[in-house]
Amino acid sequence: MAAPRTCGLWSYCGRGLSRAKRNCGLPGLRSSWPWGPLGARLLSQEKRATETHFGFETVSEEEKGGKVYQVFESVAKKYDVMNDMMSLGIHRVWKDLLLRKMHPLPGTQLLDVAGGTGDIAFRFLNYVQAQHQGKQKKQLRAQQNLSWEEIAKKYQNEEDSLGGSLVMVCDINREMLKVGKQKAFDRGYKAGLAWVLGDAEELPFDDDKFDVYTIAFGIRNVTHIDRALQEAHRVLKPGGRFLCLEFSQVNNPLISSFQVIPVLGEVVAGDWKSYQYLVESIRKFPSQEAFKEMIEDAGFQKVTYESLTSGIVAIHSGFKL
Amino acid sequence: MLEFLVCPLSKKPLRYEASTNELINEELGIAYAIIDGIPNMIPQAARTTHQNKKQEEMEQH
């Protein structure tokens, strides 16, 4: 399984990332050692409360944020390309499914957190625009006998093609937002779109503001997931919906992205370490059921999840009632 | 779109200062910069305003 080579690569490339290495354990083996992280905790009793994981590494909570920031800073420009490569373009289907599940109507206020490069935001805008145009066509068909006044009015008003919809893209990483903003400019998205540099754990929005909150492939990078969920609950309007698209526990044991993704990362983006982090952060994320419970703890109700592609990703949904 | 934003720490409304292109929280005396059209609402990145010092000076006079 190319085990010794991986270990060598890991300790060589991982020099920047690694801290006190208890053992040169192979990443693959470590994942099947249940008492590995426990052993680390016994060593440092005082730090126990403030330690978290950065992939398979144990880091202090203050560090995780910074390290995650560096990962995304370095991958920002190649982010979309890597997504296509790693998921063979299927990530587009997942995001389309997320939008279909959301089924936003014109006038929806969406907050897309960790949405840096704008994938969800652009899909949202396309969706509500199509919905709005569909509505307008139906209206036209129904109103074949308009008076001259009404027809004149139609020419005067600059109608909002989005029907009052708005998407606020919030991300903690400036590089990702820059990429997103450039994409928006290139593709001609202007109306109903806003960009904010913000922390998912401390959102710069007032209570009861948004109809939908989405976070796609972002929540596993947050240091305190429970705080992010609580903030999500706070900023949603009553009746609002929480939607999370995230990597999940795979049902099919034959699929093992573990070795392939970092190699792809090196080949395409020239950045092995960041994609090693990606793989490990996926492994560390709680299972569908466990995450469902976390969402319920934050106050959401009617929490459900749907696994896609043999459980590679899952969409969790909850309501603020 | 700026009307949507509040201070991430206190969740109170902010005042837009056109001269410095910042969003200011008077109460806490902090200012969030807007760079390249993107407001930076990260608490650690905000700068403290000099308004507190100014108030002290006025009180002394």
Side-chain angles (χ1 to χ4, degrees), chain A residues 78-99 117-120 123 183 187 216-217 245 247 308-309 312-313 315:
Chain A
K78 296 283 183 97
Y79 187 72
D80 294 329
V81 173
M82 271 312 292
N83 283 348
D84 275 332
M85 295 237 58
M86 292 193 301
S87 65
L88 302 174
I90 305 178
H91 73 105
R92 297 161 191 250
V93 176
W94 293 330
K95 288 168 183 165
D96 291 338
L97 283 172
L98 179 69
L99 254 299
T117 52
D119 279 346
I120 302 293
R123 283 175 168 76
K183 267 167 69 176
R187 298 180 193 186
F217 301 115
L245 173 63
F247 287 110
L308 307 170
T309 326
I312 295 182
V313 299
I315 299 180

Side-chain angles (χ1 to χ4, degrees), chain A residues 181 195 197 202-204 231 234, chain B residues 6 8-9 11 36 39 41:
Chain A
K181 229 175 162 216
W195 309 85
L197 241 176
E202 285 195 287
L203 290 172
E231 280 291 271
R234 182 181 67 79
Chain B
V6 299
L9 296 169
K11 313 299 182 195
D36 292 335
M41 308 307 292

Side-chain angles (χ1 to χ4, degrees), chain A residues 109 166 168 172 174 181 194-198 202-206 231 234, chain B residues 1 4-9 11 35-44:
Chain A
Q109 316 284 298
L166 165 73
M168 190 74 105
I172 200 169
R174 183 175 286 285
K181 229 175 162 216
W195 309 85
V196 167
L197 241 176
E202 285 195 287
L203 290 172
F205 303 107
D206 212 349
E231 280 291 271
R234 182 181 67 79
Chain B
M1 311 288 176
F4 263 82
L5 298 171
V6 299
C7 173
L9 296 169
K11 313 299 182 195
I35 305 173
D36 292 335
I38 302 176
N40 186 338
M41 308 307 292
I42 312 272
Q44 289 86 353

Side-chain angles (χ1 to χ4, degrees), chain A residues 24-261:
Chain A
C24 179
L26 303 165
L29 274 182
R30 229 189 283 172
S31 69
S32 58
W33 260 343
W35 49 270
L38 271 178
R41 262 188 241 150
L42 285 171
L43 285 172
S44 49
Q45 292 272 346
E46 297 143 349
K47 279 200 191 162
R48 202 199 301 195
T50 57
E51 273 193 338
T52 180
H53 58 84
F54 177 73
F56 282 132
E57 221 186 298
T58 306
V59 299
S60 72
E61 288 185 342
E62 300 95 58
E63 283 185 304
K64 171 159 182 174
K67 290 194 159 189
V68 171
Y69 192 96
Q70 279 163 18
V71 166
F72 281 93
E73 195 176 31
S74 60
V75 308
K77 298 214 171 73
K78 296 283 183 97
Y79 187 72
D80 294 329
V81 173
M82 271 312 292
N83 283 348
D84 275 332
M85 295 237 58
M86 292 193 301
S87 65
L88 302 174
I90 305 178
H91 73 105
R92 297 161 191 250
V93 176
W94 293 330
K95 288 168 183 165
D96 291 338
L97 283 172
L98 179 69
L99 254 299
R100 201 131 56 91
K101 198 171 177 106
M102 194 196 302
H103 189 47
L105 297 174
T108 300
Q109 316 284 298
L110 168 68
L111 173 63
D112 182 27
V113 177
T117 52
D119 279 346
I120 302 293
F122 302 149
R123 283 175 168 76
F124 171 79
L125 291 172
N126 291 341
Y127 199 101
V128 293
Q129 193 170 43
Q131 292 278 313
H132 193 65
Q133 280 169 350
K135 233 205 274 180
Q136 283 181 319
K137 275 197 193 147
K138 279 196 204 149
Q139 268 183 341
L140 276 176
R141 265 183 251 143
Q143 294 172 343
Q144 282 303 306
N145 300 320
L146 288 176
S147 69
W148 284 114
E149 282 170 0
E150 283 168 320
I151 295 176
K153 239 195 258 172
K154 285 204 181 241
Y155 279 101
Q156 276 164 9
N157 298 346
E158 269 255 8
E159 270 226 13
D160 178 11
S161 65
L162 296 173
S165 320
L166 165 73
V167 53
M168 190 74 105
V169 181
C170 179
D171 199 296
I172 200 169
N173 193 303
R174 183 175 286 285
E175 296 306 311
M176 296 288 279
L177 281 175
K178 272 161 72 173
V179 172
K181 229 175 162 216
Q182 187 59 43
K183 267 167 69 176
F185 181 76
D186 293 339
R187 298 180 193 186
Y189 292 102
K190 260 188 252 170
L193 182 58
W195 309 85
V196 167
L197 241 176
D199 188 347
E201 298 181 22
E202 285 195 287
L203 290 172
F205 303 107
D206 212 349
D207 303 358
D208 307 327
K209 270 268 174 290
F210 294 97
D211 298 304
V212 187
Y213 173 110
T214 51
I215 184 163
F217 301 115
I219 203 154
R220 73 179 188 285
N221 301 310
V222 171
T223 315
H224 302 104
I225 296 179
D226 53 340
R227 281 190 217 164
L229 292 172
Q230 278 163 21
E231 280 291 271
H233 192 267
R234 182 181 67 79
V235 300
L236 277 172
K237 289 184 199 164
R241 189 174 198 181
F242 168 86
L243 281 165
C244 173
L245 173 63
E246 189 54 84
F247 287 110
S248 202
Q249 304 301 322
V250 174
N251 311 335
N252 189 342
L254 290 177
I255 299 177
S256 171
S257 51
F258 206 54
Q259 301 295 337
V260 180
I261 290 182

